Each structure stands twice: as structure tokens, then as C-alpha cells.
Amino acid sequence: MAYDYLMLYYVYEKPQLFDYPIQSVRKHILNVFAMGFLFFLWIVAYTIYKTTTQIKNNKMDRMEIENTLKDSQLNALKGQINPHFMFNCLNNIRGLILENPEKSREMITRLSEMLRYSLAKNEITTIVLEEEIEMVENFIEISKIQMEERLNFTSQIDKNTLKLQIPPMIIQMLIENAVKHGIAKLKGGGQISLQTTLKHNNLTILVVNTGILTIDKDSTQLGIKNIEKRLHLIYGEKASFKLEEIKNTVIAKIIIPIL
């Protein structure tokens, strides 16, 4: 009986003696849950970090592969230019050797200057437009040696465009195409005009020549395809190339974004 009164006394009068062990257990349990929750958060954070890092690395690897492939494709396309241009010029020189040796020598000199230029720029994706214009002028002089008065060339070059970057030989190929498929087929010859303008952060290159838009049966259209592929590889959908005929005049128009 005395024991019962003693227990009642401790329960009601000294409850802290019984609460202490319970609070200690609760505290330990809460600590275990807290540690577990923190460990769970660490696992989640680590998983997110590793996943993000892996995605980033995969993206960088994919971009590196794409850039390497793009460079390889561009180099292959640039490799098509020299043989194509050489073939046309050597044919012209062959026709002049017996007829006019002096002009043929001048033609060879200008051709060597152009080849030196193209070799120097072979590993470059873009050049300043001013350098390309010099290339075009050499090509025009070579063509005039053969066609004489049948070829009339004019240009309107916006001074603000001279230092802008463009793919090498892209204008020269347009001019070459105009001479070969336009002026050369006209008995009385014709005119080629080159114009560059800068508007709304876009460079517009316009080549207009007398003639009609025809595609020879045996033509590979190498120059046109080359231009289209290089523009797409460098600028994607931001650049455009259009070739059309309006009233016996062929118009080639290239629009390039200023990067």
C-alpha cells in the first residue's frame, strides 16, 4: 500500500522524472529522421548535379562532333571551287594561246594571283568582302580578255559592307555563273552588275546579268549547289539564296546575317 502511494506521488508530484527518458528517446528518433532527411536531400542534389553535368558533357561532345563535321563539309566544298574555276580558266587560256599569246600571258598572270589568293584562304571559313571584291575584279579582267567588248561589268559597293565577313569566293562564283551561263551565250554580249547593301543587320549581295535562266542538260550546277550548301552550313536558316529570271535578266540574290 505504501508502495502504491509512493508511485502516485512520483507520477503526479514529480512527472519530470518519467518524462526525461521519453524525451530523450524522442530526441534521438527526431535526430535519426533529420539525418535521414538530410541524407535524402543530399542524394537528390547529387543525382541532379551528376545528371546535369552528364547532359552538359553530352551536349558539348555533340556540338564538338557537329562542328568537326561542319568544318569537314566546308573544307570539302571549298575543295570543289578550285578545280571548277581552274577548268574554266584553263579552257579560256587554251583558246587564246595561238590566237593572242600576249593576252594569254596576261590571263595566266591574273589566274596565278587568284590561285595564290584562294590557297591562302583555303582554311578560312569567312573573309572580308573587300578581299572578295579584289578576287572578282581579277576574274572580270580574265573574262574580258576572252570576251573583249561583249562583257560590260559595273559595281555598286556600299562602303559600310567592305569590312563585313562573307564565305570566300561566293561572289566570284556568282559572277562566274553569270558569265558562263549568261553573257557567253549571247552573240552581242551583255552586262553584269554587282551590288552590296547593308540593311536591318543583313548583308545583301545582288548579281544581275543579261540573259535567261537556263540549265544545260549536262550541267552539274556545281557552283550553285556549292553556294547553297556553304550558306546553310555557316548560317543555317538565317541566310538565303535566290536565283530567278525577270524579263530576260537573271538575278542572283544572297542575304547574309551579320554575326
Side-chain angles (χ1 to χ4, degrees), residues 102-250:
E102 184 179 347
K103 284 188 177 181
S104 66
R105 284 195 297 271
E106 181 184 347
M107 197 170 185
I108 290 173
T109 300
R110 289 189 175 275
L111 177 59
S112 66
E113 291 177 0
M114 293 188 68
L115 291 178
R116 189 181 300 111
Y117 168 86
S118 62
L119 288 173
K121 305 300 180 182
N122 190 46
E123 299 299 324
I124 299 175
T125 302
T126 60
I127 59 170
V128 293
L129 185 137
E130 188 175 20
E131 295 181 62
E132 178 78 354
I133 297 300
E134 293 177 5
M135 182 83 147
V136 168
E137 290 172 351
N138 267 332
F139 176 80
I140 289 296
E141 291 305 316
I142 290 175
S143 300
K144 280 184 176 181
I145 291 173
Q146 181 191 17
M147 302 184 70
E148 297 179 342
E149 301 300 324
R150 294 176 58 217
L151 173 59
N152 182 24
F153 176 74
T154 60
S155 63
Q156 291 181 314
I157 309 299
D158 186 342
K159 292 181 179 180
N160 294 323
T161 66
L162 289 175
K163 300 302 180 182
L164 299 180
Q165 296 284 330
I166 65 169
M169 296 189 74
I170 201 165
I171 298 179
Q172 183 269 324
M173 295 184 79
L174 288 179
I175 300 294
E176 180 184 350
N177 192 66
V179 171
K180 181 180 178 181
H181 299 289
I183 310 304
K185 293 185 176 182
L186 301 174
K187 186 176 181 180
Q191 179 172 327
I192 299 176
S193 65
L194 168 63
Q195 180 182 358
T196 66
T197 54
L198 179 61
K199 188 176 182 180
H200 301 312
N201 216 33
N202 284 319
L203 168 65
T204 299
I205 301 169
L206 201 65
V207 175
V208 181
N209 68 272
T210 309
I212 58 175
L213 186 57
T214 58
I215 300 176
D216 296 336
K217 192 174 183 180
D218 298 328
S219 174
T220 61
Q221 294 183 272
L222 180 62
I224 300 302
K225 291 178 180 178
N226 189 294
I227 291 172
E228 290 175 338
K229 288 179 180 179
R230 283 200 291 155
L231 287 175
H232 180 73
L233 283 171
I234 299 173
Y235 305 102
E237 300 299 324
K238 295 179 181 179
S240 64
F241 174 50
K242 187 177 182 181
L243 188 64
E244 61 181 345
E245 177 193 337
I246 301 177
K247 296 180 180 180
N248 295 326
T249 301
V250 179

Side-chain angles (χ1 to χ4, degrees), residues 31-44:
N31 286 338
V32 170
F33 275 109
M35 291 295 293
F37 182 69
L38 290 176
F39 182 69
F40 172 75
L41 289 180
W42 181 84
I43 292 177
V44 171

Side-chain angles (χ1 to χ4, degrees), residues 80-119:
Q80 294 176 355
I81 296 173
N82 290 339
H84 185 226
F85 176 69
M86 280 285 292
F87 176 78
N88 291 334
C89 288
L90 289 174
N91 270 342
N92 292 338
I93 293 173
R94 183 183 61 180
L96 282 175
I97 286 176
L98 296 177
E99 179 185 342
N100 194 327
E102 184 179 347
K103 284 188 177 181
S104 66
R105 284 195 297 271
E106 181 184 347
M107 197 170 185
I108 290 173
T109 300
R110 289 189 175 275
L111 177 59
S112 66
E113 291 177 0
M114 293 188 68
L115 291 178
R116 189 181 300 111
Y117 168 86
S118 62
L119 288 173

